[in-house]
Amino acid sequence: MQYISGRHLRTLPFKGKPSFEKLIVSPAFLYFVFTMIMGLILILFDRNPAWPDGGQHWARALQISNGDLLAQPNPDGSGAYGGYAGDGKFINFNNTAINSPLVYLPSLFSFGNVHLAAVTTLLLSTFTTAVAIHISRKFQYLFLGIAILPIYFLSICYPTADAVTNLFSLLFIAYVTYLLQQDRMPGAGNTLLLLIASLMLGLIKITCSALILLVWLLPFKFKYQAGKPVWLVCLGSTLSTIFSAGIWSKLTASIPASAIVDLAKFEDGRARILDHPFLMLRSLFATLFQSLDTTGDAHDVARNIELFTGFGPILPVAVVLPLLMASMIMILKGRHSELVSEPAGKYIIAGISILFFALTGAGIASSWGSPNLGGFINGMQTRYFIPITPLLALLIPSVRIRFQKTKSGTIFLCSLIAWGYAGLLLAHCFPF
């Protein structure tokens, strides 16, 4: 049996005791304080809540807090699955029906109060995101640049599955980048953390299971050290994710991930995709490149640009552009080194991103019964791709940027963020 030694503990993400002075000026701490303040203001005064499928998510959270881990069949016999809202009415769930209890963890501490659930979601999400920024070390500005995007901020201010899905995806990717910055392969402590994280990864959205492939960057970094093949760690992590995702899929196999079609039509839609993979590829191609004013759905434009503006009110360019500029500067600042030197590392990251997109498209198409296979996939929203945003940023070639005058550059960046968030709060809270 291998014990966790002092050497193993010294390689864990929070080794040492940083001074208070360094802590309060660290990007992670400043992000935590700023986001908590902005988030609490939004929760208290938001007139236009950016809460996608809010009623369904809250009913699912209440259902889980009452001890019902699985969605319930609609009493009307329609074949739909859902749960009872706070007013006692039954609500049919969409893909919310198959969400695991893990993605509603913050809401379980709210005692059934939706406002308290929003606060607990914000607190846990902001803290976990700050941890991700901290442990990513050299890449901290890359993760900070993603965390300040309006879509990420708005996703963690309300009790939805998006909050935990996004924050845990960010944390998992940050943890792998932390491991790749070590001088030696993961010891017992980090291996245990990775296995636990891998199990949890399989219990958020099924599409996020693709992120487990990121651990296979570790062999390119460590190859073979001290007679311990690092691929065994990677294999154990991969099997952990497959195990947890498989168990939950088995438990929810009789529940359609749709409020539109019943289980039979949902399975027919999924079977049609498997029988006609080239039509599915054509649908993915159309979804990437088809002009949004020709899809036949007026909501597709808003769905497509929400990665930049956030869900809900479409923010004007005067608000969005400063935040996008600040985000891009930070991402580039965090891209001054590579995770692994071999080109295969970039192929793995690109492959994960493509696989994630394909799984998301197939999931959305089957939730409609795949009626338009080969054409544009209606219902695709760019907020679904927040989990792979760090991977897309890691595909950028390493670059070194800096302001000639550090103080002026810092003031400029802070001004962009302050202006953008002030505009965001006005757009949501001011009665225009």
Side-chain angles (χ1 to χ4, degrees), residues 44-126:
L44 289 173
F45 302 106
D46 195 353
R47 299 169 61 92
N48 301 291
W51 191 6
D53 302 323
Q56 296 187 30
H57 281 293
W58 183 237
R60 179 76 176 119
L62 290 176
Q63 184 179 67
I64 294 169
S65 64
N66 290 330
D68 297 318
L69 301 185
L70 300 176
Q72 304 165 350
N74 193 318
D76 65 6
S78 62
Y81 279 71
Y84 290 93
D87 58 4
K89 294 183 179 179
F90 193 90
I91 297 179
N92 289 338
F93 294 157
N94 49 18
N95 57 356
T96 307
I98 61 170
N99 286 342
S100 80
L102 179 62
V103 295
Y104 296 103
L105 180 63
S107 298
L108 303 184
F109 301 100
S110 66
F111 306 103
N113 184 289
V114 66
H115 300 293
L116 183 56
V119 174
T120 55
T121 300
L122 174 67
L123 178 61
L124 180 61
S125 301
T126 306

Side-chain angles (χ1 to χ4, degrees), residues 9 43 53 60 71 78 118 125 142 172 209 255 276 285 309-310 325 341 378 401 423 426 429:
L9 290 175
I43 290 170
D53 302 323
R60 179 76 176 119
S78 62
S125 301
L142 183 151
F172 184 83
S209 296
I255 301 175
H276 303 283
F285 179 83
T309 69
M325 289 175 60
S341 57
N378 287 313
I401 67 166
L426 285 172
C429 303

Side-chain angles (χ1 to χ4, degrees), residues 26-213:
S26 67
F29 181 79
L30 293 176
Y31 167 80
F32 176 80
V33 173
F34 178 79
T35 305
M36 283 300 302
I37 294 172
M38 295 295 104
L40 288 173
I41 293 173
L42 190 71
I43 290 170
L44 289 173
F45 302 106
D46 195 353
R47 299 169 61 92
N48 301 291
W51 191 6
D53 302 323
Q56 296 187 30
H57 281 293
W58 183 237
R60 179 76 176 119
L62 290 176
Q63 184 179 67
I64 294 169
S65 64
N66 290 330
D68 297 318
L69 301 185
L70 300 176
Q72 304 165 350
N74 193 318
D76 65 6
S78 62
Y81 279 71
Y84 290 93
D87 58 4
K89 294 183 179 179
F90 193 90
I91 297 179
N92 289 338
F93 294 157
N94 49 18
N95 57 356
T96 307
I98 61 170
N99 286 342
S100 80
L102 179 62
V103 295
Y104 296 103
L105 180 63
S107 298
L108 303 184
F109 301 100
S110 66
F111 306 103
N113 184 289
V114 66
H115 300 293
L116 183 56
V119 174
T120 55
T121 300
L122 174 67
L123 178 61
L124 180 61
S125 301
T126 306
F127 176 77
T128 307
T129 304
V131 170
I133 293 169
H134 174 77
I135 66 174
S136 61
R137 303 291 174 84
K138 293 180 181 179
F139 300 90
Q140 61 180 339
Y141 286 103
L142 183 151
F143 286 90
L144 179 60
I146 292 169
I148 65 170
L149 285 171
I151 186 62
Y152 187 87
F153 169 69
L154 292 170
S155 75
I156 63 175
C157 290
Y158 301 94
T160 70
D162 288 355
V164 174
T165 299
N166 295 337
L167 72 90
F168 190 79
S169 299
L170 204 73
L171 180 64
F172 184 83
I173 296 172
Y175 185 54
V176 176
T177 64
Y178 163 79
L179 294 177
L180 288 166
Q181 294 174 72
Q182 304 307 302
D183 296 327
R184 62 183 68 185
M185 64 181 289
N190 277 312
T191 298
L192 180 60
L193 285 177
L194 184 59
L195 291 174
I196 294 172
S198 301
L199 278 170
M200 295 174 68
L201 186 64
L203 293 175
I204 56 177
K205 289 188 177 179
I206 190 66
T207 52
C208 292
S209 296
L211 296 179
I212 193 59
L213 297 176

Side-chain angles (χ1 to χ4, degrees), residues 387-419:
I388 60 168
T389 306
L391 298 185
L392 299 176
L394 288 170
L395 288 174
I396 301 172
S398 59
V399 60
R400 291 183 179 273
I401 67 166
R402 66 181 181 88
F403 291 106
Q404 196 167 13
K405 295 182 179 180
T406 304
K407 183 177 180 180
S408 299
T410 302
I411 293 173
F412 175 69
L413 269 180
C414 292
S415 299
L416 290 176
I417 296 171
W419 173 274

Side-chain angles (χ1 to χ4, degrees), residues 104-372:
Y104 296 103
L105 180 63
S107 298
L108 303 184
F109 301 100
S110 66
F111 306 103
N113 184 289
V114 66
H115 300 293
L116 183 56
V119 174
T120 55
T121 300
L122 174 67
L123 178 61
L124 180 61
S125 301
T126 306
F127 176 77
T128 307
T129 304
V131 170
I133 293 169
H134 174 77
I135 66 174
S136 61
R137 303 291 174 84
K138 293 180 181 179
F139 300 90
Q140 61 180 339
Y141 286 103
L142 183 151
F143 286 90
L144 179 60
I146 292 169
I148 65 170
L149 285 171
I151 186 62
Y152 187 87
F153 169 69
L154 292 170
S155 75
I156 63 175
C157 290
Y158 301 94
T160 70
D162 288 355
V164 174
T165 299
N166 295 337
L167 72 90
F168 190 79
S169 299
L170 204 73
L171 180 64
F172 184 83
I173 296 172
Y175 185 54
V176 176
T177 64
Y178 163 79
L179 294 177
L180 288 166
Q181 294 174 72
Q182 304 307 302
D183 296 327
R184 62 183 68 185
M185 64 181 289
N190 277 312
T191 298
L192 180 60
L193 285 177
L194 184 59
L195 291 174
I196 294 172
S198 301
L199 278 170
M200 295 174 68
L201 186 64
L203 293 175
I204 56 177
K205 289 188 177 179
I206 190 66
T207 52
C208 292
S209 296
L211 296 179
I212 193 59
L213 297 176
L214 194 64
V215 302
W216 289 95
L217 292 177
L218 294 174
F220 293 101
K221 167 72 175 180
F222 301 107
K223 296 183 172 58
Y224 192 89
Q225 292 185 5
K228 301 173 182 177
V230 71
W231 66 266
L232 285 178
V233 177
C234 302
L235 181 61
S237 299
T238 304
L239 292 177
S240 296
T241 298
I242 293 174
F243 173 76
S244 58
I247 290 295
W248 185 249
S249 296
K250 184 70 174 177
L251 291 173
T252 58
S254 62
I255 301 175
S258 173
I260 309 299
V261 298
D262 59 19
L263 182 62
K265 292 181 179 178
F266 176 78
E267 291 181 341
D268 285 344
R270 188 165 52 186
R272 193 175 297 117
I273 291 172
L274 295 175
D275 291 339
H276 303 283
F278 290 105
L279 284 179
M280 186 64 230
L281 289 175
R282 184 177 173 181
S283 284
L284 294 173
F285 179 83
T287 306
L288 276 175
F289 299 110
Q290 184 174 337
S291 175
L292 296 174
D293 57 357
T294 64
T295 65
D297 190 332
H299 297 291
D300 282 331
V301 173
R303 289 167 178 160
N304 204 266
I305 65 173
E306 67 187 9
L307 181 64
F308 312 107
T309 69
F311 184 88
I314 299 177
L315 302 176
V317 67
V319 174
V320 174
L321 187 58
L323 286 175
L324 291 181
M325 289 175 60
S327 175
M328 200 65 228
I329 290 171
M330 288 187 180
I331 288 174
L332 291 176
K333 183 176 175 61
R335 283 299 297 118
H336 56 76
S337 61
E338 296 290 352
L339 279 176
V340 292
S341 57
E342 286 82 354
K346 286 288 181 70
Y347 299 148
I348 290 176
I349 294 173
I352 295 171
S353 304
I354 294 170
L355 177 61
F356 187 96
F357 175 70
L359 290 174
T360 303
I364 296 298
S366 58
S367 71
W368 295 88
S370 304
N372 188 36

